[in-house]
Amino acid sequence: MIVIDKEKEGIQAHLLGEASSASCIAYINAGVIFLGSETGDSQLVQITSSGSLEVVDTYPNTAPIIDATLADIDNSGDPIVVTCSGEGKTGSLRIIRTGANIEELASIGDTKGVTRVFLLKDGTESDSYLLLSYPQETKIVNIKDSHTYSEVPENDFAGLVRDSTTLVAANLEVEYSHLAIQVTRIAVNLINMQTGEQCNRWPGDIVAACIHGDMICVGLHDNSLLLLHVDQDRKLLKDGKQAQFGSQISVVSMRSDSTGKSNIFLGFWQKHVVQILNTDTLERMAEIEVPHVPLSIVPWEHDFPVVHRFHLLVGTGNGHVVTMRLRSKGSSFDIGERRLIYLGERPVHLQKYVDQGKENVIATGKRAVILSRSNRSVVQHHINIKDIEAVLPFNTPRFSNTLMFKLPSSLLLARIGKLEKIKIDSVPLGYDVPVSITYHSETHAFALGCVRREPSRDEAYDATTSSFKLLDATTFEHLNSYSVPSTEEITKVCVTSLGINDGDISSKYIAVGTAVWGEDEPEPTKGRILLFTAVNTQSTFIATRNASAPILNLMLEQEITGAVVSMCGLGDAYLAVIVNTILVVYQLTKKAATNELQLKPVDQWIHNYMLSSLVVNGSDIIIGDTFQSVTLLHWTGSELKLVSKDYETVNSLNATLDDTHVIQSNVDNNLFSYKNEEDGIQPSGRYHFGEVISCLVPGSVSTNAARGGDKALAVPKHLLFTSGGRISVISKCDDERAMKLHNIQRNIGAAFKSDHYDVLSWRAPHTSIKTFSDDIPQASGFIDGDLLLRFLELESDSPLVKKILNGTKRAERLDMEYGELREFIEELQTTQY
């Protein structure tokens, strides 16, 4: 803090504390100051009465992103993103995860064979008993003791039927909270949970049931449905209402609104429909088609203040969740927006739970998601726990407001934190700014190269050092490190498999590339390639390490005639390296005289000006030239062959490659796409992104199956990172869907143009190169996902909706209603992460 001393006519500096490197500062009030940072986290700080600086709040910032990698550290199929971020003293790794923030609390083991799980109370607010249903029996566990859970002997709880599987079990509500219902295949049992005695029993051949308030809705084997209720004498009585159906009931659910009116929801095995019945008359009010057998039904009132409106969620046997908006109209229902959510080829179970006063739904299939409401839309939040079969709310004095997840052989207790699309954690590295990162699966560790520049306190140059670090992938604890001389900088780190000769068994190495800076050199004329192995045995060289960590062994260090710009493994035997402006393919061999390892150049590519990026996909190699464009090469096993080259000067910055497309960015913040065809790469798209793209990484943050497989509207293929901290997903869709998306984008762009700005014109490629042509290229081959999502902000009665659906002329009219278009865009959004 600078203080102007008017009496002494001077300036005094007071050290308050340490904060983020700020690019802007704003005084708010009462000593509270906002520090905005472009290279680290922004902060809200306060000057205390003692004159020190206190951090009030922190606002995460991933910028600038220098490099990034994808890593599936728990083999769940849902990789995390780790970025090299920061600058100066704010170097850090940012760990970005999709899905809900879950805190695992405890686990109950040895539950293999359990098919259903229920929780029962004994008249208190906390859960007292855990009911475990097996195919041929039922067990009850006392969970009132906060430390030890034990099975209840049969004599102590004689009212429970134990020699049959339990279909449904729950407490009655309010005044009968000490009473519970157990529904088995052969009977409905009323149990006093305080004494363990059976109060009453109703026999029947039961296939499905639902407990709601003091009513029990039972589906029978003869395709009929009947209602039971509990009276004041604690006797289970047949209500007298019964209805017959032409198909066997697969699932029953009930709902009551605030006025006391209630409805029954039925699913059937032979008919793929859900019927809505009036509880008083059992007459059908509506019938809704679903794509498969309905196995779970949940009415969901969340965020609907109107009594007669709610969402209906249906879980099907083939892995879908059907969501639809319903409105009650006397003796019928209006069925509004429908949407399908695909959770993999496994039956879906639905369960409501309350979080901070809001009612959410968990859907479990092959994968699991939390469904919440935002801006009148159903939003998905992935749960990163594998093999969840069912879930239910769990509440005891020790584990309050908790969820119990049923896994194949255990029960997991966990809490769900704030629901966010992504969760960002930070690993601060201070002055060690990471510049390159990769994942080493054998040691479950991240390998990264860092450059450290400490500011000098005098007029001397800043002290610069560089090191290679190994960090644990779970805890991010420092495991090992290796420092290079002060004139050398680590430029690239990658994991590669190399064999001594063709056909030999390959070993996995961590390859580290460096640049050696000489005095007054315009560019480095020297560099090194270092090969490390991470093993558990001692060697002649051991890097500085944690005693409990795997040992980092330096197996090879080889000087090269230039700096390593980029580096990537090529198959199981070769290493592709950009050395200054040349692409060199190396093979690991042994020197005949000394038997030492060496990297032998096998072939090189010298037909470019300044190579900046390198990506390998199988035997295909894509290289980007800063002065030209991309070149596609093929590695035959012994030489590099030119496949195709883009001769347009676009000033390439980064490039990436998959089986069908090549994508590159340039210095003018544009994206270009090319189709990888038999006769070479053909331009297919151009698009102004608007930010400096620092790296393009092949892959996605979820498995193909989790996104819906081939049924997905668009399949994520690449991740895009910018120096401003933005992370975007580049997805691919087929030609038919691409044309549909193009028409939607055209109409949305035109509708917003009149009221806001011309987005589509701004997306046209920008260029700093002067040309003699007056033609202005238009954006093509890319769809602006952010622009499409603007439609979800509009209500159905908005004037912009009519413009979007009708277009500016008859030929542009979309053959879709508001609800269909909204569902289409929402489904597209959920496939991306």
Side-chain angles (χ1 to χ4, degrees):
M1 182 172 65
I2 303 298
V3 178
I4 300 175
D5 192 334
K6 295 182 179 180
E7 294 182 358
K8 298 182 179 180
E9 297 183 351
I11 296 176
Q12 296 180 359
H14 296 275
L15 180 63
L16 298 177
E18 190 170 336
S20 291
S21 299
S23 54
C24 65
I25 184 171
Y27 182 78
I28 299 175
N29 193 14
V32 177
I33 303 167
F34 175 76
L35 303 175
S37 177
E38 294 179 346
T39 61
D41 294 337
S42 296
Q43 292 178 327
L44 193 67
V45 298
Q46 184 174 26
I47 302 174
T48 66
S49 57
S50 60
S52 61
L53 201 63
E54 177 183 330
V55 178
V56 177
D57 203 355
T58 300
Y59 308 93
N61 174 27
T62 58
I65 298 175
I66 305 165
D67 193 21
T69 191
L70 283 165
D72 186 3
I73 61 175
D74 55 1
N75 298 318
S76 65
D78 295 313
I80 63 171
V81 177
V82 183
T83 66
C84 297
S85 300
E87 187 178 283
K89 69 169 187 176
T90 59
S92 67
L93 296 181
R94 300 295 167 129
I95 301 92
I96 301 163
R97 297 176 171 89
T98 60
N101 182 19
I102 295 179
E103 178 190 4
E104 297 185 9
L105 303 174
S107 178
I108 303 173
D110 194 21
T111 59
K112 190 174 182 180
V114 173
T115 56
R116 302 178 188 88
V117 182
F118 308 99
L119 288 164
L120 300 174
K121 299 176 173 64
D122 62 0
T124 62
E125 294 183 359
S126 299
D127 294 318
S128 306
Y129 296 97
L130 175 65
L131 213 63
L132 304 176
S133 176
Y134 293 82
Q136 302 296 330
E137 64 174 336
T138 298
K139 296 181 180 180
I140 184 168
V141 178
N142 189 332
I143 59 173
K144 289 187 281 187
D145 189 318
S146 60
H147 298 285
T148 304
Y149 295 168
S150 57
E151 185 177 352
V152 178
E154 190 167 345
N155 295 336
D156 292 352
F157 224 97
L160 183 75
V161 176
R162 307 199 188 207
D163 59 356
S164 176
T165 187
T166 298
L167 300 178
V168 179
N171 286 89
L172 298 178
E173 294 182 1
V174 194
E175 62 265 33
Y176 300 129
S177 61
H178 67 287
L179 299 178
I181 296 291
Q182 179 198 17
V183 182
T184 68
R185 296 282 185 193
I186 58 174
V188 178
N189 302 295
L190 178 62
I191 305 169
N192 188 320
M193 295 303 298
Q194 294 176 339
T195 64
E197 297 176 352
Q198 186 181 91
C199 301
N200 209 314
R201 180 178 184 270
W202 184 90
D205 192 359
I206 302 169
V207 294
C210 171
I211 303 167
H212 183 76
D214 63 350
M215 293 185 293
I216 303 95
C217 190
V218 180
L220 301 177
H221 190 268
D222 63 358
N223 302 346
S224 65
L225 176 80
L226 70 92
L227 285 174
L228 306 173
H229 79 274
V230 179
D231 66 1
Q232 294 180 355
D233 298 326
R234 299 186 301 174
K235 292 180 180 179
L236 201 62
L237 298 180
K238 182 176 178 179
D239 193 281
K241 299 187 185 74
Q242 187 166 356
Q244 196 74 25
F245 300 90
S247 175
Q248 193 174 97
I249 296 170
S250 60
V251 62
V252 185
S253 183
M254 298 183 72
R255 166 192 180 260
S256 296
D257 61 28
S258 58
T259 66
K261 294 181 179 179
S262 59
N263 297 102
I264 300 172
F265 304 85
L266 298 180
F268 301 90
W269 286 107
Q270 284 77 28
K271 297 189 297 182
H272 297 172
V273 297
V274 172
Q275 289 188 6
I276 306 176
L277 309 181
N278 184 310
T279 305
D280 295 330
T281 63
L282 295 187
E283 293 180 354
R284 187 174 71 186
M285 302 176 66
E287 184 171 280
I288 306 164
E289 291 188 6
V290 292
H292 203 264
V293 177
L295 296 179
S296 185
I297 300 175
V298 169
W300 188 23
E301 279 82 12
H302 182 59
D303 273 7
F304 276 100
V306 182
V307 171
H308 303 294
R309 292 184 181 180
F310 62 97
H311 258 101
L312 187 67
L313 276 59
V314 181
T316 68
N318 67 342
H320 284 94
V321 178
V322 186
T323 71
M324 62 199 87
R325 189 176 296 177
L326 270 61
R327 181 177 181 179
S328 175
K329 292 182 62 179
S331 60
S332 64
F333 280 90
D334 278 344
I335 302 168
E337 303 162 23
R338 288 172 57 107
R339 177 180 163 195
L340 285 179
I341 301 171
Y342 183 65
L343 300 181
E345 294 288 346
R346 205 169 80 182
V348 172
H349 175 269
L350 302 172
Q351 175 65 54
K352 288 193 288 189
Y353 79 99
V354 178
D355 179 31
Q356 297 179 353
K358 292 186 177 181
E359 196 173 62
N360 300 324
V361 176
I362 296 182
T364 58
K366 191 168 184 179
R367 64 186 179 102
V369 296
I370 299 172
L371 304 177
S372 65
R373 293 269 309 170
S374 177
N375 293 330
R376 295 170 56 84
S377 300
V378 177
V379 181
Q380 294 184 48
H381 310 269
H382 297 291
I383 300 176
N384 296 322
I385 300 176
K386 294 177 66 176
D387 301 323
I388 299 175
E389 297 178 350
V391 63
L392 65 161
F394 186 89
N395 184 33
T396 65
R398 186 180 180 188
F399 300 106
S400 59
N401 301 318
T402 304
L403 292 175
M404 173 179 282
F405 295 92
K406 180 188 174 301
L407 307 180
S409 58
S410 65
L411 301 174
L412 176 68
L413 299 180
R415 287 196 186 99
I416 294 178
K418 186 178 180 182
L419 292 180
E420 297 173 319
K421 273 293 185 182
I422 59 173
K423 181 177 182 294
I424 302 176
D425 294 315
S426 178
V427 180
L429 299 174
Y431 284 106
D432 286 320
V433 177
V435 295
S436 182
I437 187 169
T438 190
Y439 177 60
H440 189 255
S441 58
E442 277 71 11
T443 56
H444 190 67
F446 287 103
L448 58 147
C450 298
V451 176
R452 184 182 184 89
R453 291 185 176 90
E454 293 191 58
S456 173
R457 295 185 179 275
D458 48 31
E459 295 182 358
Y461 290 108
D462 295 346
T464 302
T465 57
S466 189
S467 61
F468 159 65
K469 298 179 185 296
L470 203 64
L471 303 183
D472 183 89
T474 302
T475 64
F476 288 90
E477 176 190 5
H478 177 269
L479 301 177
N480 256 308
S481 62
Y482 172 78
S483 297
V484 298
S486 59
T487 57
E488 191 173 14
E489 286 186 14
I490 293 174
T491 56
K492 186 66 179 177
V493 178
C494 75
V495 172
T496 182
S497 295
L498 296 172
I500 302 300
N501 298 298
D502 285 337
D504 285 358
I505 297 175
S506 299
S507 299
K508 189 156 282 189
Y509 295 90
I510 302 172
V512 178
T514 73
V516 178
W517 293 90
E519 292 186 7
D520 302 324
E521 283 185 346
E523 67 176 18
T525 57
K526 292 181 181 179
R528 287 195 301 164
I529 298 176
L530 312 173
L531 292 183
F532 293 90
T533 60
V535 295
N536 294 319
T537 57
Q538 195 85 2
S539 75
T540 53
F541 174 84
I542 304 175
T544 304
R545 68 183 189 90
N546 184 318
S548 61
I551 298 171
L552 196 63
N553 294 325
L554 179 61
M555 306 301 292
L556 176 146
E557 53 178 324
Q558 182 165 319
E559 289 191 3
I560 55 176
T561 56
V564 174
V565 177
S566 188
M567 183 166 51
C568 200
L570 182 59
D572 291 332
Y574 301 94
L575 184 65
V577 185
I578 295 178
V579 182
N580 281 4
T581 60
I582 301 172
L583 173 64
V584 184
V585 177
Y586 290 97
Q587 183 179 19
L588 189 64
T589 62
K590 287 187 177 180
K591 297 178 182 178
T594 62
N595 210 34
E596 294 178 350
L597 293 176
Q598 66 172 355
L599 287 171
K600 178 183 176 181
V602 179
D603 197 9
Q604 62 182 18
W605 180 263
I606 60 173
H607 307 291
N608 285 88
Y609 291 100
M610 182 179 288
L611 298 180
S612 58
S613 57
L614 164 69
V615 178
V616 172
N617 182 35
S619 299
D620 292 331
I621 303 170
I622 194 76
I623 51 176
D625 191 327
T626 303
F627 291 158
Q628 293 183 321
S629 185
V630 289
T631 301
L632 180 63
L633 305 173
H634 180 75
W635 174 247
T636 65
S638 59
E639 61 178 338
L640 292 166
K641 291 273 191 180
L642 175 65
V643 176
S644 185
K645 186 173 183 177
D646 178 31
Y647 289 94
E648 183 181 1
T649 301
V650 300
N651 302 122
S652 179
L653 193 61
N654 291 282
T656 185
L657 170 71
D658 59 46
D659 293 336
T660 59
H661 282 80
V662 173
I663 298 174
Q664 71 167 332
S665 65
N666 76 345
V667 296
D668 293 315
N669 307 337
N670 299 315
L671 282 171
F672 299 86
S673 67
Y674 307 82
K675 283 188 176 179
N676 189 1
E677 300 178 344
E678 290 184 3
D679 55 346
I681 55 174
Q682 303 296 329
S684 61
R686 52 185 65 212
Y687 176 86
H688 181 62
F689 189 78
E691 291 186 50
V692 177
I693 299 169
S694 54
C695 62
L696 293 164
V697 177
S700 69
V701 293
S702 62
T703 61
N704 187 46
R707 296 185 304 266
D710 297 333
K711 300 178 183 179
L713 290 179
V715 180
K717 288 290 185 179
H718 306 273
L719 291 176
L720 177 154
F721 302 85
T722 73
S723 58
R726 183 184 297 271
I727 303 173
S728 297
V729 180
I730 301 177
S731 300
K732 185 180 76 172
C733 61
D734 59 39
D735 292 341
E736 181 181 349
R737 288 168 176 166
M739 181 57 68
K740 186 175 182 178
L741 288 168
H742 169 75
N743 293 338
I744 295 171
Q745 175 184 252
R746 177 200 61 215
N747 287 12
I748 293 177
F752 279 105
K753 177 181 177 180
S754 57
D755 289 353
H756 300 275
Y757 50 87
D758 191 351
V759 180
L760 297 183
S761 295
W762 185 77
R763 287 301 187 190
H766 294 199
T767 179
S768 57
I769 301 174
K770 293 183 179 180
T771 64
F772 297 100
S773 173
D774 293 330
D775 295 335
I776 301 175
Q778 296 298 309
S780 63
F782 289 90
I783 300 295
D784 188 343
D786 290 334
L787 178 60
L788 296 185
L789 293 181
R790 292 291 303 273
F791 182 80
L792 300 182
E793 301 172 6
L794 304 177
E795 298 293 340
S796 58
D797 56 355
S798 169
L800 289 176
V801 169
K802 188 175 181 180
K803 291 182 180 180
I804 292 169
L805 296 178
N806 294 332
T808 57
K809 50 190 175 182
R810 188 170 183 178
E812 294 180 355
R813 182 180 177 86
L814 300 177
D815 189 21
M816 304 176 78
E817 298 297 328
Y818 169 80
E820 293 177 89
L821 180 54
R822 187 180 184 92
E823 178 185 337
F824 183 79
I825 295 175
E826 285 179 344
E827 186 174 351
L828 179 68
Q829 181 186 24
T830 59
T831 62
Q832 305 310 300
Y833 48 87

